[in-house]
Amino acid sequence: AASVIDGDRTGANWGNGNGGWNDGTRGAFPDSMEVDFPTAEVIDQINVFTLQNNWTTAGQPNLATAASGEGLLDFDVQYWNGSAWVNVPGGSVTGNDKAWRQFLFTAVTTTKIRVVVNNSRNNYSRIVELEAFGCPP
């Protein structure tokens, strides 16, 4: 799971075992990937990267890069509000076909974020990178 917070958005190392995360339950959903922060953080952006097409040679993805072969299909992007998980605005995605999905929202203070995968291509949830950005409290 540490591979989803290593700064590599490409997925080029996927086949080496350190290019991202996938679940261990073929075809069984939902799956979730959670990132806990050491302290409360103020965030207003989350980026989710899934396995792009031609991932071995494709390079850095952009917001238009396709993920129609092995990427996430239906998923929710959430933050912890202190007592419950809350979807970020626009964070419930169905029919995804992009390698990079960016979510911008009004700043929130949280100690963790997660992606809940409800369906994916090729029976496995594949997350290459999960990023959160914001401003200091």
Side-chain angles (χ1 to χ4, degrees):
S3 296
V4 302
I5 57 170
D6 65 1
D8 181 7
R9 297 173 164 184
T10 68
N13 290 317
W14 190 265
N16 300 332
N18 59 356
W21 169 87
N22 71 258
D23 69 293
T25 56
R26 177 181 169 82
F29 299 98
D31 301 313
S32 63
M33 163 52 61
E34 180 179 318
V35 174
D36 295 351
F37 305 141
T39 61
E41 300 289 342
V42 178
I43 63 170
D44 60 4
Q45 177 179 339
I46 295 175
N47 294 322
V48 178
F49 295 86
T50 190
L51 202 58
Q52 64 182 308
N53 294 355
N54 304 312
W55 51 271
T56 58
T57 58
Q60 291 294 329
N62 60 45
L63 292 169
T65 300
S68 59
E70 299 182 81
L72 300 179
L73 193 56
D74 305 329
F75 61 96
D76 297 316
V77 179
Q78 303 175 330
Y79 70 94
W80 182 252
N81 73 2
S83 59
W85 288 103
V86 178
N87 281 4
V88 300
S92 186
V93 178
T94 57
N96 180 60
D97 64 353
K98 302 294 184 230
W100 177 2
R101 294 300 299 255
Q102 183 177 71
F103 305 90
L104 305 170
F105 46 91
T106 302
V108 296
T109 301
T110 188
T111 57
K112 52 190 168 182
I113 61 173
R114 75 177 181 179
V115 176
V116 177
V117 181
N118 300 304
N119 196 9
S120 64
R121 293 179 171 83
N122 272 348
N123 298 304
Y124 286 104
S125 300
R126 294 172 174 90
I127 298 175
V128 171
E129 191 75 8
L130 181 57
E131 303 172 338
F133 297 100
C135 53

